[in-house]
Coordinates of all heavy atoms in Angstrom, one line a residue:
M1 N 140.4 19.3 19.3 CA 141.4 20.1 18.5 C 142.6 19.2 18.3 O 143.2 18.7 19.2 CB 141.8 21.4 19.2 CG 142.8 22.2 18.4 SD 143.4 23.7 19.2 CE 141.9 24.7 18.9
M2 N 143.0 19.0 17.0 CA 144.1 18.1 16.7 C 145.2 19.0 16.0 O 145.1 19.4 14.9 CB 143.7 17.0 15.7 CG 144.8 16.0 15.4 SD 145.6 15.2 16.9 CE 144.3 14.1 17.4
N3 N 146.2 19.3 16.8 CA 147.3 20.0 16.3 C 148.5 19.1 16.2 O 148.9 18.5 17.2 CB 147.7 21.2 17.2 CG 146.6 22.2 17.3 OD1 145.8 22.4 16.3 ND2 146.4 22.9 18.4
I4 N 149.1 19.1 15.0 CA 150.3 18.2 14.8 C 151.5 19.0 14.3 O 151.3 19.9 13.5 CB 149.9 17.1 13.7 CG1 148.8 16.2 14.3 CG2 151.1 16.4 13.2 CD1 148.4 15.1 13.3
A5 N 152.7 18.6 14.8 CA 153.9 19.2 14.3 C 154.7 18.0 13.6 O 154.7 16.9 14.1 CB 154.7 19.8 15.4
I6 N 155.5 18.4 12.6 CA 156.4 17.5 12.0 C 157.8 18.1 12.0 O 158.0 19.1 11.3 CB 156.0 17.2 10.5 CG1 154.6 16.6 10.5 CG2 157.0 16.2 9.9 CD1 154.0 16.4 9.1
V7 N 158.7 17.5 12.7 CA 160.1 17.9 12.8 C 160.8 17.2 11.7 O 160.7 16.0 11.6 CB 160.7 17.6 14.2 CG1 162.2 18.0 14.2 CG2 160.0 18.3 15.3
G8 N 161.5 18.0 10.9 CA 162.1 17.5 9.7 C 161.2 17.5 8.5 O 161.4 16.7 7.6
A9 N 160.3 18.4 8.5 CA 159.2 18.4 7.4 C 159.8 18.7 6.0 O 159.2 18.3 5.1 CB 158.2 19.5 7.8
T10 N 161.0 19.3 5.9 CA 161.5 19.6 4.6 C 162.3 18.4 4.0 O 162.7 18.4 2.9 CB 162.4 20.8 4.6 OG1 163.4 20.6 5.6 CG2 161.6 22.1 5.0
G11 N 162.6 17.4 4.8 CA 163.4 16.2 4.4 C 162.5 15.2 3.7 O 161.3 15.3 3.6
N12 N 163.1 14.1 3.2 CA 162.4 13.1 2.5 C 161.3 12.4 3.4 O 160.2 12.2 2.9 CB 163.4 12.0 2.0 CG 164.2 12.6 0.8 OD1 163.8 13.5 0.1 ND2 165.4 12.0 0.6
V13 N 161.7 12.1 4.6 CA 160.7 11.4 5.5 C 159.6 12.3 5.9 O 158.4 11.9 5.9 CB 161.4 10.8 6.7 CG1 160.5 10.1 7.7 CG2 162.5 9.7 6.3
G14 N 160.0 13.6 6.2 CA 158.9 14.5 6.6 C 157.9 14.8 5.4 O 156.7 14.8 5.7
R15 N 158.4 14.8 4.2 CA 157.5 15.0 3.1 C 156.7 13.8 2.8 O 155.5 13.9 2.4 CB 158.3 15.4 1.8 CG 158.9 16.8 1.9 CD 159.6 17.2 0.6 NE 160.2 18.5 0.8 CZ 159.7 19.6 0.4 NH1 158.5 19.7 -0.1 NH2 160.3 20.8 0.5
K16 N 157.2 12.6 3.2 CA 156.4 11.4 3.0 C 155.3 11.4 4.0 O 154.1 11.0 3.7 CB 157.3 10.2 3.2 CG 156.5 8.9 2.9 CD 155.8 8.8 1.6 CE 156.7 8.2 0.5 NZ 155.9 8.1 -0.8
I17 N 155.5 11.9 5.3 CA 154.5 12.0 6.3 C 153.4 12.9 5.8 O 152.2 12.6 6.0 CB 155.1 12.4 7.7 CG1 156.0 11.3 8.2 CG2 154.0 12.8 8.6 CD1 156.8 11.8 9.4
L18 N 153.8 14.1 5.3 CA 152.8 15.0 4.7 C 152.0 14.4 3.6 O 150.8 14.6 3.6 CB 153.6 16.2 4.2 CG 154.1 17.2 5.2 CD1 155.0 18.2 4.5 CD2 153.0 17.9 5.9
E19 N 152.6 13.6 2.8 CA 151.9 12.9 1.7 C 150.9 12.0 2.2 O 149.7 11.9 1.8 CB 152.9 12.2 0.8 CG 152.4 11.5 -0.4 CD 153.4 10.7 -1.2 OE1 154.5 11.3 -1.4 OE2 153.2 9.6 -1.5
V20 N 151.3 11.2 3.2 CA 150.3 10.2 3.8 C 149.2 10.9 4.5 O 148.0 10.5 4.4 CB 151.1 9.3 4.8 CG1 150.1 8.4 5.6 CG2 152.0 8.4 4.1
L21 N 149.4 12.0 5.3 CA 148.4 12.7 5.9 C 147.4 13.3 4.9 O 146.2 13.3 5.1 CB 149.0 13.9 6.8 CG 149.7 13.5 8.0 CD1 150.4 14.7 8.7 CD2 148.8 12.8 9.0
E22 N 147.9 13.8 3.8 CA 147.1 14.4 2.8 C 146.2 13.3 2.1 O 145.0 13.4 1.9 CB 147.9 15.1 1.8 CG 147.1 16.0 0.9 CD 148.0 17.0 0.1 OE1 149.2 16.8 0.0 OE2 147.4 18.0 -0.4
K23 N 146.9 12.2 1.7 CA 146.1 11.1 1.0 C 145.0 10.5 1.9 O 144.0 10.1 1.4 CB 147.1 10.0 0.6 CG 147.9 10.3 -0.6 CD 148.7 9.1 -1.1 CE 149.4 9.4 -2.3 NZ 150.3 8.3 -2.8
K24 N 145.3 10.4 3.2 CA 144.3 9.8 4.1 C 143.3 10.8 4.6 O 142.4 10.5 5.4 CB 145.1 9.2 5.4 CG 146.0 8.0 5.0 CD 145.2 6.8 4.5 CE 146.1 5.7 4.3 NZ 145.4 4.5 3.8
N25 N 143.5 12.0 4.1 CA 142.6 13.1 4.5 C 142.4 13.2 6.0 O 141.3 13.4 6.6 CB 141.2 13.0 3.8 CG 140.5 14.3 3.7 OD1 141.1 15.3 3.8 ND2 139.2 14.2 3.6
F26 N 143.5 13.2 6.7 CA 143.6 13.2 8.2 C 143.1 14.5 8.6 O 143.4 15.6 8.1 CB 145.1 13.0 8.6 CG 145.2 12.7 10.0 CD1 145.1 11.4 10.5 CD2 145.6 13.6 11.0 CE1 145.3 11.0 11.8 CE2 145.7 13.3 12.3 CZ 145.6 12.0 12.7
S27 N 142.2 14.5 9.6 CA 141.5 15.7 10.1 C 142.5 16.5 11.1 O 142.9 16.0 12.1 CB 140.3 15.3 10.9 OG 139.7 16.5 11.4
L28 N 142.8 17.7 10.7 CA 143.8 18.5 11.4 C 143.2 19.9 11.7 O 142.5 20.5 10.8 CB 145.0 18.8 10.6 CG 145.8 17.5 10.2 CD1 146.9 17.9 9.2 CD2 146.5 17.0 11.5
D29 N 143.4 20.5 12.8 CA 143.1 21.9 13.1 C 144.3 22.7 12.7 O 144.1 23.7 12.0 CB 142.8 22.1 14.5 CG 141.4 21.4 14.9 OD1 140.5 21.6 14.2 OD2 141.4 20.7 15.9
N30 N 145.5 22.3 13.1 CA 146.7 23.1 12.8 C 147.8 22.1 12.5 O 148.0 21.1 13.2 CB 147.2 24.0 13.9 CG 146.2 25.1 14.1 OD1 146.1 26.0 13.2 ND2 145.5 25.1 15.3
L31 N 148.6 22.4 11.5 CA 149.8 21.6 11.1 C 151.0 22.5 11.1 O 151.0 23.5 10.4 CB 149.6 20.9 9.7 CG 150.8 20.1 9.2 CD1 151.1 18.9 10.1 CD2 150.5 19.6 7.8
Y32 N 151.9 22.1 12.0 CA 153.1 22.9 12.1 C 154.3 22.2 11.5 O 154.6 21.0 11.9 CB 153.4 23.2 13.6 CG 152.3 23.9 14.3 CD1 151.5 23.2 15.2 CD2 152.1 25.3 14.1 CE1 150.5 23.9 15.8 CE2 151.1 25.9 14.8 CZ 150.3 25.2 15.6 OH 149.3 25.9 16.3
L33 N 155.0 22.8 10.5 CA 156.1 22.2 9.9 C 157.3 22.8 10.5 O 157.5 24.0 10.6 CB 156.1 22.5 8.4 CG 154.8 22.1 7.7 CD1 154.8 22.5 6.2 CD2 154.5 20.7 7.9
V34 N 158.2 22.0 11.0 CA 159.4 22.4 11.8 C 160.7 21.8 11.1 O 160.7 20.7 10.8 CB 159.3 22.0 13.2 CG1 160.4 22.5 14.1 CG2 157.9 22.4 13.8
A35 N 161.7 22.7 11.0 CA 162.9 22.2 10.5 C 164.1 23.1 11.0 O 163.8 24.0 11.8 CB 162.9 22.3 8.9
S36 N 165.3 22.9 10.5 CA 166.4 23.6 10.9 C 166.3 25.1 10.5 O 165.5 25.4 9.6 CB 167.7 23.1 10.3 OG 167.7 23.2 8.9
S37 N 167.1 25.9 11.1 CA 167.0 27.4 10.8 C 167.3 27.7 9.3 O 166.7 28.6 8.8 CB 168.0 28.1 11.6 OG 169.3 27.7 11.4
K38 N 168.0 26.8 8.6 CA 168.3 27.1 7.2 C 167.0 26.9 6.3 O 166.9 27.5 5.2 CB 169.4 26.3 6.6 CG 169.1 24.8 6.5 CD 170.3 24.1 5.9 CE 169.9 22.6 5.7 NZ 171.0 21.9 5.0
S39 N 166.0 26.1 6.8 CA 164.8 25.9 6.1 C 163.6 26.8 6.6 O 162.6 26.9 6.0 CB 164.3 24.4 6.2 OG 165.3 23.6 5.6
A40 N 163.8 27.4 7.8 CA 162.8 28.2 8.4 C 162.4 29.3 7.5 O 163.2 29.9 6.8 CB 163.3 28.8 9.7
G41 N 161.1 29.6 7.4 CA 160.6 30.6 6.5 C 160.2 30.1 5.1 O 159.5 30.8 4.4
S42 N 160.7 28.9 4.7 CA 160.3 28.4 3.4 C 158.9 27.9 3.5 O 158.3 27.8 4.6 CB 161.3 27.3 3.0 OG 161.2 26.2 3.9
K43 N 158.3 27.6 2.4 CA 156.9 27.2 2.3 C 156.8 25.8 1.7 O 157.5 25.5 0.8 CB 156.1 28.2 1.5 CG 156.2 29.6 1.8 CD 155.2 30.0 2.8 CE 155.3 31.5 3.1 NZ 154.3 32.0 4.0
I44 N 155.8 25.1 2.2 CA 155.5 23.7 1.7 C 154.0 23.7 1.4 O 153.2 24.1 2.3 CB 155.9 22.6 2.7 CG1 157.5 22.6 2.8 CG2 155.5 21.2 2.2 CD1 158.0 21.6 3.8
K45 N 153.6 23.1 0.3 CA 152.2 23.0 0.0 C 151.6 21.8 0.6 O 152.2 20.7 0.6 CB 152.1 22.9 -1.6 CG 150.6 22.9 -2.0 CD 150.6 22.9 -3.5 CE 149.1 22.8 -4.0 NZ 149.0 22.7 -5.4
F46 N 150.4 22.0 1.3 CA 149.7 20.9 1.9 C 148.2 21.2 1.8 O 147.7 22.2 2.2 CB 150.1 20.8 3.4 CG 149.3 19.7 4.1 CD1 149.7 18.3 3.9 CD2 148.3 20.0 4.9 CE1 149.0 17.3 4.6 CE2 147.6 19.0 5.6 CZ 147.9 17.6 5.4
K47 N 147.5 20.3 1.1 CA 146.0 20.5 0.9 C 145.7 21.9 0.4 O 144.9 22.6 0.9 CB 145.2 20.2 2.2 CG 145.2 18.8 2.7 CD 144.3 18.6 3.8 CE 144.2 17.2 4.2 NZ 143.3 17.0 5.3
D48 N 146.3 22.2 -0.7 CA 146.0 23.5 -1.4 C 146.4 24.7 -0.6 O 145.9 25.8 -0.8 CB 144.6 23.6 -1.9 CG 144.3 22.5 -2.9 OD1 145.1 22.1 -3.7 OD2 143.1 22.0 -2.9
K49 N 147.2 24.6 0.4 CA 147.7 25.7 1.3 C 149.2 25.7 1.2 O 149.8 24.7 1.1 CB 147.2 25.6 2.7 CG 145.7 25.6 2.9 CD 145.4 25.5 4.4 CE 143.9 25.4 4.6 NZ 143.5 25.1 6.0
E50 N 149.7 26.9 1.4 CA 151.2 27.1 1.5 C 151.4 27.3 3.0 O 151.0 28.3 3.6 CB 151.6 28.3 0.8 CG 151.6 28.1 -0.7 CD 152.7 27.3 -1.3 OE1 153.9 27.5 -0.8 OE2 152.5 26.6 -2.2
L51 N 152.1 26.3 3.7 CA 152.4 26.4 5.1 C 153.9 26.8 5.3 O 154.8 26.3 4.6 CB 152.2 25.0 5.7 CG 150.8 24.5 5.7 CD1 150.7 23.1 6.3 CD2 149.8 25.4 6.3
E52 N 154.1 27.7 6.2 CA 155.4 28.2 6.5 C 156.2 27.2 7.4 O 155.6 26.6 8.3 CB 155.4 29.5 7.2 CG 156.7 30.1 7.4 CD 156.7 31.6 8.0 OE1 155.6 32.2 7.9 OE2 157.7 32.0 8.4
V53 N 157.4 27.0 7.2 CA 158.3 26.2 8.0 C 158.8 27.0 9.2 O 159.4 28.1 9.0 CB 159.4 25.6 7.2 CG1 160.4 24.7 8.1 CG2 158.9 24.7 6.0
F54 N 158.7 26.4 10.4 CA 159.2 27.1 11.6 C 160.6 26.6 12.0 O 160.9 25.4 11.7 CB 158.2 26.8 12.8 CG 156.8 27.4 12.6 CD1 155.8 26.6 12.1 CD2 156.6 28.7 13.0 CE1 154.5 27.2 12.0 CE2 155.3 29.2 12.9 CZ 154.3 28.5 12.3
D55 N 161.3 27.4 12.7 CA 162.6 27.1 13.1 C 162.6 26.2 14.3 O 161.9 26.5 15.3 CB 163.4 28.4 13.5 CG 164.8 28.2 13.9 OD1 165.2 27.1 14.2 OD2 165.6 29.2 13.8
L56 N 163.3 25.1 14.3 CA 163.3 24.1 15.3 C 163.7 24.6 16.7 O 163.1 24.3 17.7 CB 164.2 22.9 14.9 CG 164.4 21.8 16.0 CD1 163.2 21.1 16.3 CD2 165.5 20.8 15.5
E57 N 164.7 25.5 16.7 CA 165.2 26.0 17.9 C 164.2 27.0 18.6 O 164.4 27.3 19.8 CB 166.5 26.7 17.7 CG 167.6 25.6 17.4 CD 169.0 26.3 17.2 OE1 169.2 27.3 17.8 OE2 169.8 25.7 16.5
K58 N 163.3 27.6 17.8 CA 162.4 28.6 18.4 C 160.9 28.1 18.5 O 160.1 28.8 19.1 CB 162.4 29.8 17.5 CG 163.8 30.5 17.4 CD 163.8 31.6 16.5 CE 165.1 32.2 16.4 NZ 165.2 33.3 15.3
F59 N 160.6 26.9 18.0 CA 159.2 26.4 18.0 C 158.8 26.0 19.4 O 159.5 25.4 20.1 CB 159.1 25.2 17.0 CG 157.7 24.7 16.9 CD1 156.7 25.5 16.3 CD2 157.3 23.5 17.5 CE1 155.4 25.1 16.2 CE2 156.0 23.1 17.4 CZ 155.0 23.9 16.7
D60 N 157.5 26.4 19.7 CA 156.9 26.1 21.0 C 156.1 24.8 20.8 O 155.0 24.8 20.3 CB 156.0 27.2 21.4 CG 155.2 27.0 22.7 OD1 155.5 25.9 23.3 OD2 154.3 27.8 23.0
F61 N 156.7 23.7 21.3 CA 156.0 22.4 21.1 C 154.8 22.2 21.9 O 154.0 21.2 21.7 CB 157.0 21.3 21.4 CG 158.0 21.1 20.3 CD1 159.3 21.7 20.3 CD2 157.7 20.3 19.2 CE1 160.2 21.6 19.3 CE2 158.6 20.1 18.1 CZ 159.8 20.8 18.2
S62 N 154.5 23.1 22.8 CA 153.2 23.0 23.6 C 152.0 23.3 22.7 O 150.9 22.9 23.0 CB 153.2 24.0 24.8 OG 153.1 25.3 24.3
K63 N 152.2 23.8 21.5 CA 151.1 24.0 20.5 C 150.6 22.7 19.9 O 149.5 22.6 19.4 CB 151.6 24.9 19.3 CG 152.0 26.3 19.7 CD 152.5 27.0 18.5 CE 152.9 28.5 18.8 NZ 153.3 29.2 17.6
A64 N 151.5 21.7 19.9 CA 151.2 20.4 19.2 C 150.7 19.3 20.2 O 151.3 19.1 21.2 CB 152.4 19.9 18.4
K65 N 149.7 18.6 19.8 CA 149.2 17.5 20.6 C 150.0 16.2 20.2 O 150.3 15.4 21.1 CB 147.7 17.2 20.3 CG 147.1 16.2 21.2 CD 145.6 16.2 21.1 CE 145.1 15.2 22.2 NZ 143.7 15.4 22.4
I66 N 150.4 16.1 18.9 CA 151.2 15.0 18.4 C 152.4 15.6 17.6 O 152.1 16.5 16.8 CB 150.4 14.1 17.5 CG1 149.3 13.4 18.3 CG2 151.3 13.0 16.9 CD1 148.3 12.6 17.5
T67 N 153.6 15.1 17.8 CA 154.7 15.5 17.0 C 155.4 14.3 16.4 O 155.7 13.3 17.1 CB 155.7 16.3 17.9 OG1 155.1 17.4 18.5 CG2 156.9 16.7 17.1
F68 N 155.6 14.4 15.1 CA 156.3 13.3 14.4 C 157.8 13.9 14.3 O 158.0 15.0 13.8 CB 155.8 13.1 13.0 CG 154.4 12.5 13.0 CD1 153.3 13.3 12.8 CD2 154.3 11.1 13.1 CE1 152.0 12.7 12.8 CE2 153.0 10.5 13.1 CZ 151.9 11.3 12.9
F69 N 158.7 13.0 14.6 CA 160.1 13.4 14.5 C 160.7 12.6 13.3 O 160.9 11.4 13.4 CB 160.9 13.1 15.8 CG 160.6 14.0 16.9 CD1 159.5 13.7 17.7 CD2 161.3 15.2 17.1 CE1 159.2 14.6 18.8 CE2 160.9 16.1 18.1 CZ 159.9 15.8 18.9
A70 N 161.0 13.4 12.2 CA 161.6 12.8 11.0 C 162.9 13.4 10.7 O 163.2 13.5 9.5 CB 160.5 12.9 9.9
A71 N 163.6 13.9 11.7 CA 164.9 14.6 11.4 C 166.0 13.6 11.5 O 166.0 12.6 12.2 CB 165.1 15.7 12.5
G72 N 167.1 13.8 10.7 CA 168.2 13.0 10.6 C 169.1 13.1 11.8 O 169.0 14.0 12.7

């Protein structure tokens, strides 16, 4: 099972990581998009799905096997 989280998913670097994962057709079971509370609840499109953005302060990082940190 490959669960990945991206902290800073709504920023420029986070969106670039999403773009690379999508272009490379990276195999994922779950992708968790994490950002500040002001972005929590928003949606980002990834592989024809709308994924919800989770609040950084409330996210349980034990869900992710790999986490990319792209926050400023």
Side-chain angles (χ1 to χ4, degrees):
M1 181 183 283
M2 184 57 72
N3 295 329
I4 292 180
I6 301 173
V7 175
T10 59
N12 290 335
V13 176
R15 288 183 185 267
K16 185 55 92 174
I17 293 170
L18 285 168
E19 182 182 317
V20 170
L21 290 174
E22 193 166 17
K23 280 185 178 179
K24 296 294 183 181
N25 203 21
F26 198 82
S27 179
L28 300 168
D29 292 311
N30 292 296
L31 177 60
Y32 301 104
L33 307 179
V34 184
S36 67
S37 59
K38 70 178 184 176
S39 296
S42 62
K43 307 271 185 178
I44 294 178
K45 188 176 177 185
F46 180 78
K47 291 188 177 182
D48 299 324
K49 294 180 186 175
E50 291 280 321
L51 300 178
E52 184 174 347
V53 177
F54 294 95
D55 187 338
L56 174 62
E57 293 183 26
K58 299 176 183 173
F59 184 70
D60 177 7
F61 284 94
S62 68
K63 294 179 180 181
K65 187 168 187 165
I66 297 172
T67 300
F68 292 98
F69 289 88

